[in-house]
Amino acid sequence: MPNRMVIQLAGQQYTMLAEESEEYMNEVAELAQQTIAACGGSSAFASTRALALSVVTLADEYIKAKKAAESAEAKCRALETENEALRGQAQKNGSQQQGHKRR
């Protein structure tokens, strides 16, 4: 069941419904407020320009984080593939050594 909470951004109150906890939503609101302030707004007021710059800033950070996560996942998959190949080679080498000892 969604949690209902009120957050404040740039002097305006917003009622939010979220599956996440109130603590998490307060963290989201705090990041949004910090971004608004960094873009020229304040805790009491933000111009449309400051809000628009905040949205662009957060979208930019999101896209960069998403690309970094995708890159890390691809590297992880490549390392897993390499690991499997090396295990297979090690098993093959181990089997060959066992065969030489028997002769």
Side-chain angles (χ1 to χ4, degrees), residues 59-87:
D60 174 56
E61 290 173 3
Y62 167 78
I63 290 168
K64 287 176 181 173
K66 183 178 175 186
K67 287 182 179 183
E70 289 169 351
S71 176
E73 287 175 6
K75 286 179 185 178
C76 186
R77 284 191 299 275
L79 288 170
E80 287 172 347
T81 300
E82 181 181 356
N83 190 22
E84 286 300 314
L86 289 171
R87 279 188 183 154

Side-chain angles (χ1 to χ4, degrees), residues 42-53:
S42 71
S43 60
F45 174 79
S47 66
T48 303
R49 181 176 185 274
L51 293 172
L53 288 173

Side-chain angles (χ1 to χ4, degrees), residues 12-25:
Q12 299 292 314
Q13 288 189 343
Y14 299 92
T15 300
M16 307 292 288
L17 289 175
E19 295 293 331
E20 291 81 5
S21 69
E22 187 171 347
E23 292 81 19
Y24 174 79
M25 291 307 296

Side-chain angles (χ1 to χ4, degrees), residues 21-34:
S21 69
E22 187 171 347
E23 292 81 19
Y24 174 79
M25 291 307 296
N26 284 332
E27 185 177 351
V28 169
E30 179 62 27
L31 175 60
Q33 187 60 53
Q34 288 173 5

